[in-house]
C-alpha cells in the first residue's frame, strides 16, 4: 500500500512555543491531505482538510490561527501548532488521499506525532 | 448528518474463530468503504477497501458490502491474538472520510 510519513514521531515542548509537524506522501501525489487529532481512548477527530495550493478547510471549533496548515506541494503538508499549551497535548495524525486509476480513492494514514506540551 | 455506526464492543472471540465486524452508514451516496485497524497508541492502518457490492477477499480478511442495506462488514478468519485491536469502518461520500467510532476486537489464546 501507499506510504505516508510523519516527522517528528514524538515531540515535547514548553508551553508557548510553536511546533511544526510534517506529513509526506512517499510514493504518490496527494492533492488532499487531512489532519486528525486523537485524545487517549477517544475517536479520531478531523481537524482540517489541506488542499495543495489553496487554503485549508477547518472543522468547526478548530482555530485556524492556532493550527496553521500549509500544503506546499503534492507530497507535503505541514501542521504548525502555534503557542502550544498543555491542552494541545495529543496524538496528531495526518492522512493522504490517493486516487486509484483516476476513479477510486483510498486514504492512508501517517504513523502519527505524539505531542506533549509541558 | 452523515453517520457511520459500529458496535463499540468489545467483541471477544477465541483464537482460530471467525470474527465478524459490522458497520452501517447513513449516506446513500457513499461510494468508497474502508476498514482500518488501530492498535492502541498507533495510527490507523488500512486493511481493506471495497467499492462494489459483494465480497472482497484478501488473505484472512473478507469485506462485504451491501449498498441497498447500507451495510458493510469485515470477516476475519482464523483470528489470532495479534488481531486484537480497534477496527474502524470508514466511508467516503462526496469528499470527506467519515469514521465510525470503532469496534474493539479481543482474540483470546
Amino acid at each position: 500500500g501507499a506510504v505516508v510519513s510523519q516527522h517528528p514521531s514524538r515531540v515535547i515542548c514548553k508551553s508557548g512555543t510553536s511546533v511544526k509537524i510534517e506529513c509526506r506522501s512517499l510514493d504518490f501525489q496527494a492533492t488532499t491531505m487531512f489532519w486528525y487529532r486523537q485524545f487517549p481512548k477517544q475517536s479520531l477527530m478531523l481537524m482540517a482538510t489541506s488542499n495543495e495550493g489553496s487554503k485549508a478547510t477547518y472543522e468547526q471549533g478548530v482555530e485556524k490561527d492556532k493550527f496553521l496548515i500549509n500544503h506546499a506541494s503534492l507530497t507535503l503538508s505541514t501542521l504548525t501548532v502555534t503557542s502550544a499549551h498543555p491542552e494541545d497535548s495529543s496524538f496528531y495524525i495526518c492522512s493522504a488521499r490517493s486516487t486509484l486509476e483516476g476513479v477510486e480513492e483510498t486514504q492512508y494514514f501517517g504513523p502519527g506525532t505524539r505531542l506533549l506540551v509541558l | 448528518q452523515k453517520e457511520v455506526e459500529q458496535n463499540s464492543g468489545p467483541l471477544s472471540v477465541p483464537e482460530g474463530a471467525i470474527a465478524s465486524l459490522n458497520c452501517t452508514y447513513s449516506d446513500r451516496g457513499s461510494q468508497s468503504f474502508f476498514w482500518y485497524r488501530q492498535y492502541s497508541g498507533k495510527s490507523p492502518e488500512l486493511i481493506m477497501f471495497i467499492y462494489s457490492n459483494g465480497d472482497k477477499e484478501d488473505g484472512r480478511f473478507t469485506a462485504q458490502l451491501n449498498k441497498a442495506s447500507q451495510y458493510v462488514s469485515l470477516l476475519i478468519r482464523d483470528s489470532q491474538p495479534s488481531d486484537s485491536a480497534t477496527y474502524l469502518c470508514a466511508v467516503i461520500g462526496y469528499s470527506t472520510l467519515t469514521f465510525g467510532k470503532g469496534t474493539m476486537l479481543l482474540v483470546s489464546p
Side-chain angles (χ1 to χ4, degrees):
Chain A
V3 178
V4 177
S5 71
Q6 261 183 264
H7 177 80
S9 59
R10 184 183 297 268
V11 60
I12 301 173
C13 69
K14 292 182 179 180
S15 184
T17 61
S18 294
V19 175
K20 180 187 280 190
I21 303 170
E22 289 188 352
C23 176
R24 295 181 185 271
S25 57
L26 297 185
D27 52 359
F28 65 98
Q29 293 183 332
T31 54
T32 306
M33 290 185 172
F34 304 86
W35 288 96
Y36 294 83
R37 181 167 54 182
Q38 188 174 35
F39 292 104
K41 300 191 186 302
Q42 294 191 20
S43 303
L44 285 166
M45 288 175 43
L46 178 65
M47 299 175 66
T49 300
S50 169
N51 296 296
E52 187 268 337
S54 65
K55 291 182 179 180
T57 303
Y58 290 81
E59 295 299 301
Q60 191 173 9
V62 178
E63 299 174 57
K64 63 180 181 180
D65 294 329
K66 180 171 181 61
F67 299 99
L68 301 178
I69 291 173
N70 185 296
H71 196 146
S73 73
L74 288 172
T75 59
L76 172 64
S77 176
T78 60
L79 168 69
T80 301
V81 183
T82 62
S83 187
H85 288 95
E87 57 266 30
D88 298 323
S89 299
S90 188
F91 191 38
Y92 291 85
I93 311 172
C94 77
S95 180
R97 189 164 291 180
S98 164
T99 302
L100 303 178
E101 300 179 353
V103 176
E104 297 164 339
E105 297 178 302
T106 304
Q107 195 161 318
Y108 298 92
F109 285 85
T113 297
R114 197 162 298 282
L115 171 64
L116 177 61
V117 184
L118 302 177
Chain B
Q1 182 80 11
K2 299 172 185 175
E3 294 181 349
V4 177
E5 300 287 342
Q6 292 182 257
N7 188 318
S8 62
L11 171 66
S12 296
V13 300
E15 184 174 0
I18 296 175
S20 177
L21 303 161
N22 304 314
C23 172
T24 58
Y25 60 95
S26 63
D27 182 9
R28 281 197 171 275
S30 300
Q31 297 296 321
S32 308
F33 307 85
F34 307 87
W35 283 100
Y36 293 87
R37 176 176 62 197
Q38 186 174 25
Y39 292 110
S40 181
K42 302 293 185 182
S43 70
E45 171 193 8
L46 181 65
I47 300 175
M48 295 278 294
F49 54 85
I50 185 168
Y51 305 115
S52 304
N53 274 328
D55 295 0
K56 179 181 179 182
E57 187 174 316
D58 183 1
R60 295 188 296 114
F61 300 99
T62 299
Q64 298 174 317
L65 175 61
N66 184 325
K67 289 187 178 181
S69 300
Q70 295 176 237
Y71 176 91
V72 58
S73 66
L74 179 70
L75 300 178
I76 306 175
R77 289 181 299 281
D78 188 25
S79 295
Q80 301 297 308
S82 59
D83 295 326
S84 297
T86 296
Y87 289 79
L88 302 169
C89 171
V91 172
I92 290 179
Y94 176 64
S95 63
T96 304
L97 186 70
T98 302
F99 283 94
K101 293 188 181 299
T103 298
M104 181 182 293
L105 172 66
L106 298 175
V107 181
S108 53

